[in-house]
């Protein structure tokens, strides 16, 4: 290297003061120094070179790269003056005399770290935070444990009444909070009851601490996910829950409160005290709180006298009396029938006894003594719930609970505002009583008039509010609410849903394969032509004969085995509805698809329930093998009255507690059908009342639409009809559900009330007419909307528009009948109609409709074996006008 490129050694002077000045300079920038000064050489560009002959000489910046980094503020200084080791500004302590950084109590963000490392807490900080949180948690638990109070069993017995109000705001009844509980000491609780509960509910009760952490965690997780709420899993937790009257909400806050109380109870109370508290506060159904009340309610004896078998049954009720009381609770859940509940109770009773043997609380020899289920007594109703009040209260209770699961009516203190119109309820009850007393006489006709039941419901068309029901003779004597689901089939009152499906979805093209049938449908009009022939072979939509799973053909019958308009048998759907002819509507259901018929029925408001909706896989589905309640039928027909707007029937407008509204009904109207479909159904049903099977329901000066219905074997009869204001359904049936009966059975009504056969046109339509006449009173008459033309005049079931086929047998809505075709029965063993009153004379009252269709026999592809009594002439019988052979 040339001599002129060599740099002489740099002076090391300056001392500590120079070092301090150097440290105080901003990194990356140095002030200009005069030439010749001691520092000038150190900071000159040439100073970056080190003389090879001087191993101790170092540059102030460590080269150009170091200089560039220093210029950016992040370089390292390795000065010969010992300014400090590499590490930048954060490491200036040492020989250079740099000041150490000031320590912080919480070093976050971390000092001296760059990038993401600056935001990662140190292990010391994490440990300190965890210890702090744990300490706070312990403190909170300690405070909560100290503050919670142990429940008082005696206080838990003081339940408040629930007050029910009529639609006008006046009080209906105060009930539900009676003190049907008697606290008994531990010594009076049978050991068999304690062991039954331990084996069924909490096997580790005698050794656990009173809480189940895993159960609590599952409940909290389930609630956090929005799933079904769960209760405490130990007897201690359940006792705490039962005794907390003021707060029964299923919330995480209440769960934590319950947990703390359970821990405190488990730590401070004896197991015997906890067991007695639980059994004295538990709810056993039928309004009974505590073991003593349950023993009196179910077995009419004191708790100390219960045997192990009875104790096992009462223990099964703790899982939920709604589903284990053999009396059933269909008003709360339609699935909780007496039969199903008896099965549930029997199975759990046997299981509990077996568990007691397994847990060594009972020996096998004693278990062998209890082979027969200890059937409890029939329910005893509160006297102030007599008449219709008990049915109204149970309906309102179920409605409130279904709309707000947190409502626990059993605890009392609620104000329930209902939709029930006191005057209309009384009117419906008085009308039914009048018809019953005049026509039904079990003493005079025990073979025909025993077990006769009536049920009814009336719904406001514009709101869906249930204004009146008839649930039975007396809620303290007859425990099933007949306005709710009873299992009685609705027969031909189901046909309007078939017609609605035909107009809404249309008839499938027989020339299209099943995969393409939905894409080529023809909307049906009420003027469409179908066969009225009796014993008609029902066809699939493509023209093939329908056969059941055994290969049998379906031969559909009409009521009285009567054929219509031979030899062509061609009748239109309007006339078929008017006279309640089965064969056209069964075939229409096949052409449209029974699945679409079911869809239309559900759109109108019926429920797809196993207990009320029959299988749609057989043709008879279209003529009413389903068994919806009177409430649901009234609500579904209200959908037609409201031009296709559907509202679920409801019975509670609001519920209050402690001055706060905890439930408020909201209108949830939805469109079920286009207005054209609904209004045409109404127009066809007007013809049923004006000149068909429902003329007994005519109201002077008012428009009425409705349909009669009778089922196979004459086991039930219905009339469902409506005006623009109210829709009302009335059902009648014979049901042998006597406690001595081995099974629940619907009986035939041939001869009931002194009539050869009960039809919807007889007692049900009489009740409907008399009730509606009073319910409407002096209110202004209203008219239904005028129907618009809809659909095409299709030909179903092999019918064709051949020249020999007659024109539509009923006029359009704006026309008057110009001709009355005649008919004689064909293929029917029943007598011919009277020559003085032709079947096809629409102005004649001797209407002979048909409601009969195969249900049980027909399901096998055969012919319904029901009797065919002779037709009675129109007249005024004991219960009013009787339309002989019609349903």
């Amino acid at each position: 290297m040339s001599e002129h490129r060599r740099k002489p050694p740099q002076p090391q002077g300056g001392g500590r003061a120079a070092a301090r000045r150097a440290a105080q300079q901003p990194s990356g920038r140095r002030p200009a120094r005069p030439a010749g000064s001691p520092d000038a050489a150190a900071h000159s560009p040439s100073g970056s070179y080190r003389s090879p002959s001087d191993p101790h000489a170092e540059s102030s910046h460590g080269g150009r790269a170091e200089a560039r980094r220093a210029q950016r503020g992040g370089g390292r200084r390795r000065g010969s003056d010992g300014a400090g080791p590499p590490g930048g500004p954060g490491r200036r302590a040492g020989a250079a005399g740099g000041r150490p950084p000031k320590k912080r109590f919480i070093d976050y963000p971390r000092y001296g770290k760059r990038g993401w490392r600056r935001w990662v807490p140190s292990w010391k900080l994490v440990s300190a935070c965890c210890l702090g949180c744990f300490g706070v948690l312990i403190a909170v638990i300690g405070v909560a444990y100290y503050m919670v109070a142990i429940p008082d069993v005696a206080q838990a017995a003081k339940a408040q009444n629930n007050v029910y109000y009529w639609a006008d705001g006046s009080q209906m009844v105060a009930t539900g909070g009676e003190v049907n509980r008697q606290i008994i000491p531990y010594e009076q609780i049978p050991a068999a009851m304690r062991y039954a509960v331990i084996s069924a509910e909490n096997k580790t009760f005698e050794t656990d601490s009173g809480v189940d952490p895993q159960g609590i965690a599952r409940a909290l997780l389930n609630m956090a996910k929005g799933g079904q709420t769960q209760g405490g899993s130990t007897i201690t937790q359940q006792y705490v829950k039962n005794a907390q009257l003021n707060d029964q909400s299923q919330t995480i806050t209440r769960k934590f409160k319950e947990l703390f109380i359970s821990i405190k109870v488990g730590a401070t109370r004896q197991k015997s005290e906890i067991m007695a508290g639980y059994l004295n506060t538990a709810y056993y159904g039928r309004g009974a709180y505590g073991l003593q009340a349950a023993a009196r309610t179910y077995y009419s004896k004191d708790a100390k006298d219960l045997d192990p078998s009875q104790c096992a049954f009462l223990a099964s009720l703790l899982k939920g009396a709604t589903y284990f009381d053999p009396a059933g609770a269909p008003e709360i859940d339609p699935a909780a029938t007496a039969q199903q509940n008896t099965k549930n109770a029997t199975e759990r009773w046997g299981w509990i006894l077996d568990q007691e043997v397994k847990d060594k609380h009972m020996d096998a020899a004693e278990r062998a003594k209890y082979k027969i289920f200890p059937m409890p007594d029939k329910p005893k109703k509160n006297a102030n719930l007599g008449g219709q009040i008990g049915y109204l209260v149970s309906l309102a209770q179920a409605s409130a609970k279904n709309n707000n699961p947190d409502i626990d009516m059993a605890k009392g203190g609620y104000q329930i505002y209902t939709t029930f119109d006191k005057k209309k309820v009384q009117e419906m009850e008085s009308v039914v009583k009048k018809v019953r007393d005049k026509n039904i006489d079990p003493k005079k006709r025990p073979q025909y008039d025993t077990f006769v039941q009536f049920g009814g419901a009336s719904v406001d068309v514009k709101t869906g509010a249930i204004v009146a029901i008839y649930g039975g003779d007396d809620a303290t004597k007859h425990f099933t609410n007949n306005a709710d689901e009873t299992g009685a089939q609705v027969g031909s009152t189901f046909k309007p849903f078939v017609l609605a499906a035909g107009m809404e979805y249309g008839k499938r093209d027989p020339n299209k394969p099943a995969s393409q049938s939905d894409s080529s449908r023809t909307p049906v009009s009420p003027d469409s032509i179908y066969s009225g022939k009796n014993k008609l072979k029902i066809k699939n939509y493509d023209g093939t004969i329908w056969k059941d799973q055994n290969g049998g053909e379906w031969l559909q019958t009409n009521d009285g085995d009567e054929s219509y308009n031979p030899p062509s048998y061609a009748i239109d759907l309007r006339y078929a509805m008017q006279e309640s002819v089965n064969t056209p509507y069964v075939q229409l259901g096949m052409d449209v698809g029974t699945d679409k018929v079911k869809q239309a029925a559900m759109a109108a408001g019926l429920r797809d329930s196993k207990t009320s909706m029959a299988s749609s896989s057989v043709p008879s589905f279209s003529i009413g093998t389903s068994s919806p309640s009177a409430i649901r039928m009234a609500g579904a027909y209200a959908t037609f009255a409201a031009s296709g707007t559907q509202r679920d029937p409801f019975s509670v407008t609001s519920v209050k507690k402690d001055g706060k509204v905890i439930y408020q009904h909201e209108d949830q109207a939805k469109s079920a059908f286009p207005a054209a479909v609904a209004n045409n159904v109404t127009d066809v049903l007007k013809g049923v009342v004006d000149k068909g099977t429902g003329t007994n329901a005519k109201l002077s000066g008012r428009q009425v639409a409705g349909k009669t219905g009778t089922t196979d074997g004459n086991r039930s009869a219905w009339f469902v009809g409506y005006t623009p204001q109210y829709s009302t359904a009335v059902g009648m049936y014979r049901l042998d559900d006597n406690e001595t009966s081995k099974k629940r059975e619907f009986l035939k009504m041939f001869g009931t009330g002194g009539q050869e056969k009960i039809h919807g046109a007889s007692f049900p339509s009489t009740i409907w007419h008399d009730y509606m006449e009073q319910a409407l009173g002096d209110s202004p008459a209203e008219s239904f909307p005028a129907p618009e033309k809809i659909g095409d005049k299709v030909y179903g079931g092999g019918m064709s528009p051949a020249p020999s086929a007659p024109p539509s047998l009923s006029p359009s809505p704006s026309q008057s009948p110009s001709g009355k075709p005649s008919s004689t029965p064909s293929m029917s063993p029943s007598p011919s109609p009277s020559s003085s009153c032709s079947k096809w004379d629409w102005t004649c009252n001797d209407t002979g409709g048909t409601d009969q269709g195969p249900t049980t026999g027909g399901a096998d592809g055969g012919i319904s074996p029901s009797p065919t009594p002779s037709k009675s002439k129109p007249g005024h019988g004991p219960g009013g006008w009787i339309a002989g052979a019609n349903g």
Side-chain angles (χ1 to χ4, degrees):
M1 181 178 293
S2 61
E3 193 67 25
H4 72 274
R5 294 177 61 93
R6 297 180 63 187
K7 183 176 179 67
Q10 302 299 314
Q12 302 297 319
R16 293 180 179 178
R20 284 196 298 269
R21 287 193 299 271
Q24 291 170 1
Q25 296 296 327
S27 61
R29 300 188 66 182
R30 301 291 181 183
R33 288 171 173 76
S37 67
D39 292 336
H43 293 280
S44 67
S46 60
S48 62
Y49 294 97
R50 183 174 57 186
S51 171
S53 61
D54 188 359
H56 302 288
E58 294 185 6
S59 68
S60 298
H61 294 281
R64 294 180 180 178
E66 286 287 337
R68 285 194 296 271
R69 284 194 292 271
Q71 197 72 18
R72 293 193 298 267
R76 297 180 177 181
R77 289 185 297 278
R78 291 191 182 92
S80 59
D81 59 355
R91 298 188 181 184
R92 292 179 179 174
R99 296 178 181 176
K102 185 179 181 179
K103 292 184 178 180
R104 294 180 294 173
F105 181 73
I106 299 177
D107 184 20
Y108 192 83
R110 297 178 67 184
Y111 187 82
K113 300 293 183 181
R114 298 190 180 278
W116 60 270
R117 292 180 179 83
R118 178 176 172 82
W119 303 101
V120 177
S122 66
W123 68 270
K124 294 181 180 180
L125 183 60
V126 172
S127 300
C129 288
C130 290
L131 288 173
C133 291
F134 182 73
V136 171
L137 180 62
I138 293 297
V140 169
I141 291 176
V143 171
Y145 181 85
Y146 176 77
M147 293 182 66
V148 296
I150 294 177
D152 185 354
V153 177
Q155 183 66 27
K158 298 177 181 178
Q160 302 178 58
N161 278 328
N162 296 315
V163 183
Y164 295 82
Y165 296 90
W166 295 103
D168 62 4
S170 60
Q171 182 173 317
M172 178 195 305
V173 67
T175 185
E178 297 81 7
V179 186
N180 187 16
R181 179 195 281 116
Q182 180 181 346
I183 305 300
I184 58 175
Y186 180 79
E187 293 73 21
Q188 293 184 19
I189 298 175
M193 186 66 194
R194 302 196 303 267
Y195 292 142
V197 172
I198 290 173
S199 292
E201 301 286 328
N202 183 190
K203 293 179 182 295
T204 62
F205 168 71
E206 294 177 333
T207 58
D208 63 36
S209 61
V211 296
D212 178 8
Q214 292 182 347
I216 290 288
R218 285 194 303 269
L220 294 176
L221 180 62
N222 198 49
M223 284 191 294
K225 291 180 178 179
Q228 185 178 2
T229 56
Q230 298 177 351
S233 57
T234 69
I235 288 176
T236 304
Q237 289 173 262
Q238 293 180 56
Y239 158 57
V240 170
K241 178 179 182 295
N242 292 341
Q244 295 302 300
L245 287 179
N246 295 330
D247 185 7
Q248 287 295 315
S249 61
Q250 296 289 346
T251 62
I252 292 179
T253 301
R254 193 194 65 78
K255 284 292 180 184
F256 275 115
K257 182 178 179 181
E258 178 185 305
L259 175 63
F260 290 133
I261 298 176
S262 299
I263 294 173
K264 193 168 187 177
V265 169
T268 61
R269 297 294 175 90
Q270 297 292 326
K271 291 292 184 179
S272 59
E273 187 177 353
I274 295 172
M275 174 62 76
Y278 172 56
L279 294 178
N280 279 322
T281 57
Y283 182 60
Y284 296 80
R286 300 190 189 180
Y289 290 88
L291 180 62
Q292 175 66 12
R296 300 298 307 174
T297 298
Y298 286 93
Y299 292 111
S300 301
K301 61 173 61 175
D302 292 328
K304 61 184 178 61
D305 298 325
L306 293 169
D307 63 40
S309 178
Q310 294 167 336
C311 289
F313 164 69
L314 293 179
S316 71
L317 293 173
L318 298 175
K319 189 174 179 64
T322 297
Y323 302 100
F324 291 90
D325 182 354
E331 69 277 5
I332 298 177
D333 187 340
T337 62
Q339 293 86 346
Q340 184 61 47
N341 280 18
T342 301
K343 178 182 177 183
N344 295 344
T346 303
E347 291 176 353
R348 187 162 178 81
W349 161 80
W351 176 82
I352 290 175
L353 291 174
D354 292 339
Q355 290 298 304
E356 291 187 69
V357 174
K358 181 179 178 181
D359 298 335
K360 299 186 178 358
H361 296 314
M362 177 187 292
D363 57 48
E366 185 178 6
R367 167 66 179 91
K369 298 177 183 178
Y370 308 117
K371 297 180 180 180
I372 300 176
F373 176 72
M375 184 63 71
D377 301 339
K378 284 286 187 179
K380 307 174 187 69
K381 293 289 185 177
N382 192 327
N384 66 346
L385 297 179
Q388 299 305 303
I389 299 298
Y391 302 124
L392 299 174
V393 166
S394 65
L395 190 62
Q397 283 181 345
S399 176
K401 183 68 175 178
N402 290 337
N403 285 291
N404 186 345
D406 289 338
I407 293 176
D408 187 356
M409 293 292 182
K411 298 300 182 182
Y414 295 94
Q415 295 83 49
I416 302 96
Y417 296 85
T418 75
T419 62
F420 305 128
D421 186 308
K422 183 178 182 179
K423 184 172 181 290
K424 290 180 174 59
V425 170
Q426 293 173 343
E427 289 167 349
M428 182 174 284
E429 183 178 27
S430 66
V431 166
V432 174
K433 187 176 186 300
K434 178 181 177 181
V435 171
R436 172 186 285 279
D437 292 347
K438 188 175 183 180
N439 300 282
I440 308 301
D441 191 346
K443 294 182 179 180
K444 182 178 179 180
R445 292 181 294 271
Q447 184 179 356
Y448 305 109
D449 287 7
T450 54
F451 308 121
V452 173
Q453 295 292 333
F454 293 91
S458 187
V459 172
D460 188 316
V461 167
K462 297 177 176 63
T463 65
I466 303 172
V467 296
I469 65 168
Y470 179 81
D473 292 343
D474 190 322
T476 63
K477 300 175 183 178
H478 174 75
F479 309 119
T480 301
N481 187 347
N482 295 344
D484 216 332
E485 289 182 15
T486 60
Q489 295 180 355
V490 294
S492 290
T493 58
F494 202 81
K495 288 174 182 174
F497 306 125
V498 186
L499 179 60
M503 293 187 287
E504 170 80 354
Y505 302 109
K507 177 181 179 294
R508 292 177 287 184
D509 187 344
N511 299 315
K512 296 285 186 180
S515 60
Q516 302 177 17
S517 61
D518 283 344
S519 62
S520 56
R521 288 175 175 265
T522 303
V524 174
S525 84
D527 298 325
S528 298
I529 303 299
Y530 276 78
S531 174
K533 181 181 179 181
N534 185 53
K535 297 181 182 177
L536 180 70
K537 287 187 178 181
I538 299 302
K539 300 178 180 179
N540 295 305
Y541 84 95
D542 60 2
T544 60
I545 302 298
W546 187 90
K547 295 183 179 180
D548 62 19
Q549 58 185 2
N550 298 320
E553 295 181 350
W554 187 280
L555 300 177
Q556 181 60 53
T557 60
N558 292 323
D559 187 51
D561 283 337
E562 190 168 1
S563 291
Y564 290 79
N565 194 34
S568 68
Y569 305 109
I571 60 175
D572 61 26
L573 294 176
R574 186 184 301 276
Y575 185 83
M577 184 76 76
Q578 176 183 311
E579 298 301 318
S580 200
V581 189
N582 289 335
T583 51
Y585 279 93
V586 173
Q587 186 59 61
L588 174 62
M590 299 299 288
D591 290 347
V592 176
T594 50
D595 60 327
K596 297 297 184 184
V597 173
K598 178 179 179 180
Q599 193 171 332
M602 291 172 58
L606 300 190
R607 289 174 172 170
D608 187 12
S609 163
K610 291 181 179 180
T611 59
S612 64
M613 187 69 74
S615 170
S616 61
S617 61
V618 293
S620 62
F621 176 75
S622 295
I623 52 174
T625 56
S626 298
S627 53
S629 67
I631 293 172
R632 283 285 157 182
M633 287 300 290
Y637 271 48
T639 301
F640 297 130
S643 296
T645 299
Q646 191 269 332
R647 292 178 174 86
D648 279 338
F650 70 99
S651 59
V652 175
T653 57
S654 65
V655 178
K656 296 180 181 179
K657 187 171 187 180
D658 299 328
K660 298 179 180 179
V661 176
I662 58 177
Y663 167 71
Q664 183 72 50
H665 173 76
E666 296 180 1
D667 186 26
Q668 297 181 345
K670 56 187 176 182
S671 177
F673 305 107
V677 170
N679 293 340
N680 270 276
V681 170
T682 294
D683 188 67
V684 171
L685 296 183
K686 280 176 59 183
V688 174
V689 176
D690 290 343
K691 52 195 173 186
T693 62
T695 54
N696 199 33
K698 283 184 179 180
L699 297 174
S700 178
R702 296 183 184 274
Q703 292 188 0
V704 176
K707 184 69 187 76
T708 55
T710 305
T711 57
D712 182 45
N714 199 209
R715 289 177 171 85
S716 60
W718 291 76
F719 186 83
V720 186
Y722 54 93
T723 66
Q725 296 98 323
Y726 298 109
S727 176
T728 301
V730 178
M732 175 183 176
Y733 53 91
R734 288 181 67 206
L735 177 59
D736 181 3
D737 58 354
N738 190 284
E739 60 182 349
T740 60
S741 301
K742 294 183 179 181
K743 62 180 180 179
R744 189 170 186 265
E745 181 182 8
F746 284 92
L747 306 176
K748 297 178 180 180
M749 293 191 292
F750 297 110
T752 296
Q755 305 298 315
E756 284 188 272
K757 183 176 182 179
I758 299 299
H759 301 83
S762 56
F763 301 135
S765 67
T766 298
I767 293 171
W768 188 96
H769 171 273
D770 293 351
Y771 161 74
M772 289 290 283
E773 194 171 57
Q774 296 182 47
L776 290 166
D778 297 330
S779 63
E782 298 181 24
S783 299
F784 293 116
E788 59 185 273
K789 181 175 174 57
I790 189 172
D792 297 333
K793 184 176 179 180
V794 303
Y795 294 80
M799 305 300 290
S800 62
S804 60
S808 175
L809 296 176
S810 62
S812 62
S814 60
Q815 295 175 334
S816 299
S818 57
K820 314 291 189 297
S822 60
S823 169
T824 56
S826 174
M827 301 176 65
S828 171
S830 59
S832 301
S834 170
S835 58
S836 63
C837 191
S838 171
K839 167 66 66 179
W840 299 95
D841 186 354
W842 293 332
T843 62
C844 180
N845 283 332
D846 188 9
T847 55
T850 56
D851 257 346
Q852 188 68 16
T855 52
T856 53
D860 296 327
I863 304 172
S864 174
S866 59
T868 56
S870 60
K871 294 169 57 179
S872 61
K873 301 298 180 183
H876 291 78
W881 186 92
I882 304 299
N886 174 269

